[in-house]
Amino acid sequence: MGDVTSAAEQWSHPAEDVLANWPYPPEGGWTADDLDRLPLDGPNGEPDFFKRVELIDGALVFMSPQKRFHARVQHGLHVRLNEQAPPELRTVSQMDMRLDREWRPCPDLAVIDTEADDDNLTFYPPEVIHLVVEIVSPESEHRDRVVKPPKYAKCGIPNFWRIENNENKPVIYVFELDPATSAYGLTGIHHGRLKVELPFPIDIDLADLPF
């Protein structure tokens, strides 16, 4: 983790300069480390203005409030995955991933190495991540379906799930990385029950997720 921190330092702008030209980006553009420099409130005192923001290809993306379906599925899968995960793996929710200088997405769920977890971290590097889960909402459709998956694959994250809302029931599209092409291949579409072997043996009744 020390190497990641030192790399981050050379990407960052001074804290006092990060919003100096708002709404324009700092000189050289936004960087992944700038998200740690942003205040919680906006430049004009707007409450929680920067509470939910990602960096996607050098651009700040403000995430909309979650709908109940999104929150329910995220929480339910978080609980079930941690119930079934081996001790060396852990599921976390809404934690940033620093993929490179211009990418710091915040997926809905991620399965990481337990030994890499630390209460003082604000992000995880891709090498400790085994699975990324994105729950599609109307405002995130293009990012979750088109923009993010190729980047996750290029960074070597071995498993990706995309979850769609079908009449308020989750449908899970499961993808596995092809290391020869650094691209994901669809391995299954799961309705009602999710049963897979990667990143560990998982068997979840999607109709019985905890609230």
Side-chain angles (χ1 to χ4, degrees), residues 11 16 38 46 58 74 78 124 137 139 150 154 158 183 199:
W11 296 345
E16 61 272 17
L38 292 173
E46 303 91 338
Q74 178 180 304
H78 191 176
Y124 298 106
S137 58
E139 61 88 19
K154 292 295 183 184

Side-chain angles (χ1 to χ4, degrees), residues 19 22 30-31 35 38 50 53-56 58-62:
L19 293 179
W22 181 262
W30 295 104
T31 71
L35 269 64
L38 292 173
F50 292 110
V53 63
E54 300 179 293
L55 186 70
I56 305 296
L60 294 182
V61 175
F62 292 84

Side-chain angles (χ1 to χ4, degrees), residues 3-170:
D3 290 341
V4 174
T5 302
S6 60
E9 291 171 353
Q10 67 181 349
W11 296 345
S12 65
H13 299 102
E16 61 272 17
D17 293 342
V18 72
L19 293 179
N21 297 314
W22 181 262
Y24 302 102
E27 184 178 357
W30 295 104
T31 71
D33 202 50
D34 287 336
L35 269 64
D36 287 329
R37 312 291 188 202
L38 292 173
L40 182 61
D41 295 337
N44 298 310
E46 303 91 338
D48 295 336
F49 188 78
F50 292 110
K51 185 176 181 180
R52 289 175 50 79
V53 63
E54 300 179 293
L55 186 70
I56 305 296
D57 201 18
L60 294 182
V61 175
F62 292 84
M63 295 175 282
S64 299
Q66 294 180 354
K67 291 187 177 179
R68 177 57 181 149
F69 169 84
H70 190 291
R72 175 173 60 83
V73 172
Q74 178 180 304
H75 172 74
L77 283 177
H78 191 176
V79 172
R80 291 288 185 252
L81 287 170
N82 270 336
E83 287 175 346
Q84 299 182 22
E88 63 270 18
L89 297 177
R90 177 174 299 166
T91 305
V92 295
S93 63
Q94 292 188 317
M95 278 293 295
D96 289 1
M97 303 187 304
R98 188 194 299 274
L99 303 183
D100 60 28
R101 183 183 185 276
E102 296 181 339
W103 277 79
R104 185 165 160 172
C106 182
D108 293 301
L109 296 167
V111 173
I112 66 167
D113 290 328
T114 299
E115 65 179 12
D117 203 10
D118 186 320
D119 286 344
N120 295 313
L121 295 177
T122 58
F123 67 88
Y124 298 106
E127 58 265 25
V128 307
I129 300 170
H130 298 261
L131 166 68
V132 168
V133 180
E134 295 284 8
I135 303 171
V136 176
S137 58
E139 61 88 19
S140 72
E141 284 181 358
H142 182 70
R143 294 194 302 276
D144 292 344
R145 294 173 180 171
V146 178
V147 178
K148 290 183 176 180
K151 186 67 176 183
Y152 294 157
K154 292 295 183 184
C155 289
I157 296 170
N159 301 282
F160 171 69
W161 297 353
R162 191 185 79 238
I163 302 179
E164 303 276 354
N165 182 345
N166 180 20
E167 297 181 348
N168 290 324
K169 297 178 181 178

